Amino acid sequence: MPKINGNEIRPGNVLEHNGGLWSAVKVDHVKPGKGGAFAQVELRNLRNGSKLNERFRSADKVERVRLEQKDQQFLYEQEGMLIFMDSETYEQIELPAEILGERRPFLQDGMTVHIEYHENEALNATLPQKVTCTVVETEPVVKGQTAANSFKPAVLDNGVKVMVPPFVGQDEAIIVNTETMEYSERA
């Protein structure tokens, strides 16, 4: 595995640190008036989700881990486990539903998900950036409410509440950004 200097750490990098695999969430480069510069890094453990704040000086060496990415198709959920299938080998794997966190409701049957592996251990799953959902409940349009940034609450077919523009009505298909969990556009 390649070693990188502490000042080369970027958000999204996966590092081997203190015997665990950590993902760099936030990196701030600090140049104090006295002493050497350092990188203040917020790390998230890929196995248990715990967080850690560390300082890395430019002279510090850390192991950067490359994760193998595979696209896998979601089949079904059974007893809190999500079942995915590799579309090339047709092998099936089980992952806990918690791996998706608050984005779990956006997972749909047959959806292709990016799963990251480290030595045959699945560590992370990422949904497509945009997902199509249907509005099942929202307020009717109020005449004269034409303010440019006035949004109204809506409930989607997966139970998630999002804010939508006033022109979006009930039973309409919309595209939701799964990273920000916000309305993106009409479908």
Side-chain angles (χ1 to χ4, degrees), residues 4 8 14 26 29 37-38 50 56 64 76 87 92 100-101 105 125 128 140 144 151-152 169 181 183 186:
I4 60 171
E8 295 174 349
V14 177
K26 211 162 93 181
H29 293 280
F38 60 88
S50 63
F56 293 99
R64 182 167 174 209
Y76 59 92
S87 42
Q92 293 185 6
L100 291 173
F151 279 70
K152 61 183 182 179
M181 295 181 72
Y183 167 86
R186 274 183 166 161

Side-chain angles (χ1 to χ4, degrees), residues 28-76:
D28 289 323
H29 293 280
V30 181
K31 295 181 180 102
K34 216 174 187 181
F38 60 88
Q40 183 72 38
V41 183
E42 185 181 315
L43 300 167
R44 184 178 55 84
N45 191 309
L46 289 175
R47 291 193 173 102
N48 62 19
S50 63
K51 289 201 171 178
L52 174 72
N53 277 315
E54 281 285 348
R55 282 184 177 180
F56 293 99
R57 302 209 174 274
S58 59
D60 296 342
K61 296 279 189 196
V62 277
E63 295 267 346
R64 182 167 174 209
V65 180
R66 297 242 186 246
L67 297 181
E68 182 186 350
Q69 291 190 335
K70 286 185 182 174
D71 285 348
Q72 301 204 327
Q73 185 178 14
F74 173 64
L75 298 177
Y76 59 92

Side-chain angles (χ1 to χ4, degrees), residues 58-183:
S58 59
D60 296 342
K61 296 279 189 196
V62 277
E63 295 267 346
R64 182 167 174 209
V65 180
R66 297 242 186 246
L67 297 181
E68 182 186 350
Q69 291 190 335
K70 286 185 182 174
D71 285 348
Q72 301 204 327
Q73 185 178 14
F74 173 64
L75 298 177
Y76 59 92
E77 182 173 2
Q78 178 180 326
E79 296 169 12
M81 298 299 279
L82 305 175
I83 315 300
F84 293 94
M85 178 183 70
D86 190 318
S87 42
E88 293 170 14
T89 63
Y90 301 109
E91 284 180 38
Q92 293 185 6
I93 63 159
E94 289 186 4
L95 293 175
E98 300 89 53
I99 199 164
L100 291 173
E102 60 188 19
R103 288 157 183 72
R104 165 64 189 98
F106 291 106
L107 185 64
Q108 299 167 350
D109 288 344
M111 181 179 275
T112 300
V113 177
H114 302 294
I115 298 180
E116 295 177 326
Y117 288 90
H118 177 257
E119 297 173 359
N120 295 328
E121 177 189 7
L123 294 173
N124 196 9
T126 311
L127 293 175
Q129 188 177 1
K130 294 190 175 180
V131 175
T132 304
C133 298
T134 306
V135 175
V136 291
E137 185 183 316
T138 187
E139 298 167 5
V141 178
V142 178
K143 272 211 178 290
Q145 188 179 10
T146 56
N149 58 357
S150 65
F151 279 70
K152 61 183 182 179
V155 179
L156 304 177
D157 53 357
N158 57 12
V160 176
K161 290 181 181 165
V162 294
M163 298 300 281
V164 296
F167 57 79
V168 173
Q170 197 165 323
D171 299 325
E172 226 177 297
I174 63 168
I175 295 176
V176 178
N177 184 327
T178 57
E179 290 172 9
T180 61
M181 295 181 72
E182 294 175 347
Y183 167 86

